Amino acid sequence: MAAGIVAASGCGQVERGGRGFARAVPGASVQVTAREYGFTPARIDLARAGRLRFVVRNVGSLPHDLRLRDERGRELGGTPAFERGSRTVTFVLRPGRYTYYCSIGDHEQLGMRGVLVVRTR
């Protein structure tokens, strides 16, 4: 079971950075909303190592993607860039700290990133 948080629209203002928190267990799906320039939730905790499916919904006006990198900076894959709609990607994860981010242009530098922590138990 996973908890997802949906972003609230902000009267046309561009908000930088993400917000919100979700907990998940291996085998679950977590809903991630992409917008200019952040992800909701901005932090995900996975109870222990295992499979996690990201369901990424782009509600922004620009194309976005979701990529994942490990603590060493190695990219582990992600979704293709897309406008509006949803894409999914599944990872098999070990304990550790990961960063999910949008790799398009300077989106990550503008705040479009989040933290995924995979617990040891």
Side-chain angles (χ1 to χ4, degrees), residues 1-4 22-32 44 46 51-56 88-90:
M1 193 169 268
R23 292 184 194 272
V25 295
S29 293
V30 65
Q31 305 287 321
V32 177
I44 301 166
L46 184 60
R51 187 176 306 272
L52 182 64
R53 180 177 183 226
F54 284 80
V55 179
V56 185
T88 62
V89 62
T90 302

Side-chain angles (χ1 to χ4, degrees), residues 18-111:
R19 55 192 157 175
F21 176 81
R23 292 184 194 272
V25 295
S29 293
V30 65
Q31 305 287 321
V32 177
T33 301
R35 60 170 166 69
E36 289 79 33
Y37 290 98
F39 288 113
T40 301
R43 181 182 169 108
I44 301 166
D45 276 8
L46 184 60
R48 60 190 174 283
R51 187 176 306 272
L52 182 64
R53 180 177 183 226
F54 284 80
V55 179
V56 185
R57 188 172 70 128
N58 184 355
V59 299
S61 59
L62 299 173
H64 296 297
D65 64 7
L66 182 142
R67 310 299 294 175
L68 187 71
R69 75 174 156 248
D70 66 13
E71 294 172 301
R72 293 179 161 174
R74 292 180 296 197
E75 186 175 302
L76 304 176
T79 70
F82 66 100
E83 292 183 53
R84 299 280 178 185
S86 296
R87 300 291 185 277
T88 62
V89 62
T90 302
F91 298 98
V92 177
L93 301 162
R94 295 181 176 174
R97 186 177 182 92
Y98 300 83
T99 301
Y100 52 99
Y101 63 97
C102 180
S103 69
I104 297 174
D106 61 354
H107 292 193
E108 181 181 9
Q109 291 75 25
L110 291 171

